[in-house]
Amino acid sequence: MEARERTGSSVGRGFALAVPFLLFFIGVFFLGMYLFQSVVEETAYFSLLVGDSAPVEITDEDTGFVPGERPNALSSIPSISYGKQFARLNVTWDGGGWDIRNIPVYLGSDKKLLKKGAGMSFGSFFPGEGGCTILSAHVTRDFAEIESTPIGATVILETSYGPYAYRVEERKTANGTDRWFMDAGQDADLVLYTCYPRDNDGKRRTDRCVLLCTLIDGVEVAQ
């Protein structure tokens, strides 16, 4: 009887000692997965791996998004909830354009949404509101071609309440923690930005490439 009690007690102590190690290794595993995912999204090696893949063509059937017809007038922007796709984006120019097309645009710019497409920053304006719309996306995905977009290119945003066209006026870079391009009060109608440079020898990117655009067509909210 005593031998069985001693055996059971030893097993219990062994289990108790093993639990912290088990929890430690589980924590290390999930931390490693998170860090690996961050590295994949933010380093140039991932873009090199996917660089030869076929261009992504996203269809309305994939997203459930329905672009709106151009209205005769616009009294207000329809109510759009966080995480909702409200537009799709294309960039073209004479003789060229982005390989990745029909990029879905969502309200919000957290990690979850940027895995699906481009995100609009809170504090900026919807197309047609008369202010600056600020959009971001991953350089290893939807905004991979910002660096090579020429001045004069046309950005088309087909929203749920009508289309808007913009002309790329400037391409700039922002260093480190400089966030001037996040100012919705700046002299631009649309800002597209992503991490820079795309090919960075596998290092984490801290700079940003920014396109500053001017509205050339689209119905604005009546004042």
Side-chain angles (χ1 to χ4, degrees), residues 59-68 85-88 158-160:
T59 67
D60 294 340
E61 287 73 18
D62 296 328
T63 64
F65 170 73
V66 179
Q85 182 186 351
F86 71 92
R88 64 185 180 192
E158 296 176 276
T159 75
S160 57

Side-chain angles (χ1 to χ4, degrees), residues 63 81 83-87 104-109 113-114 116-121 135:
T63 64
S81 59
K84 177 79 172 178
Q85 182 186 351
F86 71 92
V105 181
Y106 300 88
L107 176 57
S109 56
L113 292 174
L114 293 186
K116 300 165 64 178
M120 178 179 134
S121 299
L135 304 181

